[in-house]
Amino acid sequence: WKTGLGDVDQLEDSQGMMFVFPTSAQQTFWMKDVEYPIDIVWVDDLTVVGSVTAYPETTNNAGDYVRYVSPGEVNMVLELPAGTMAMQQIEVGDTVILR
């Protein structure tokens, strides 16, 4: 979970990384070692509850990595190429289908 996309050089348009957690909880992600922007999609019980676009290795004024925090408790987080949410017209309330 900690490495995430840190070892992935790039995501193709049809690729993503799904994190599945054992229980719903507020989740926090960062962009350490990720060199391209992504959409972070917050999912609980297969329902999209929010998203944010995260940028490569963004730091705050203190030099720490910016933390992206879910808007509530979630049990899954999906990372997609930046812009996928808008391009595919994915919105809060949509259902995620796992194949």
Side-chain angles (χ1 to χ4, degrees), residues 3-60:
T3 302
L5 292 172
D7 290 336
V8 179
D9 291 335
Q10 70 178 22
L11 280 178
E12 299 298 328
D13 288 340
S14 62
Q15 293 180 321
M17 181 175 279
M18 175 70 84
F19 298 82
V20 179
F21 299 99
T23 59
S24 291
Q26 191 162 50
Q27 301 296 336
T28 303
F29 278 60
W30 63 357
M31 294 292 286
K32 185 176 187 296
D33 298 327
V34 180
E35 300 177 7
Y36 44 88
I38 61 172
D39 287 344
I40 299 175
V41 185
W42 311 109
V43 179
D44 194 51
D45 294 329
L46 298 178
T47 300
V48 174
V49 297
S51 69
V52 64
T53 300
Y55 295 92
E57 299 201 30
T58 306
T59 56
N60 62 21

Side-chain angles (χ1 to χ4, degrees), residues 47-78:
T47 300
V48 174
V49 297
S51 69
V52 64
T53 300
Y55 295 92
E57 299 201 30
T58 306
T59 56
N60 62 21
N61 291 339
D64 297 323
Y65 288 105
V66 170
R67 304 292 202 258
Y68 299 92
V69 181
S70 63
E73 293 186 347
V74 298
N75 62 350
M76 296 180 193
V77 177
L78 177 58

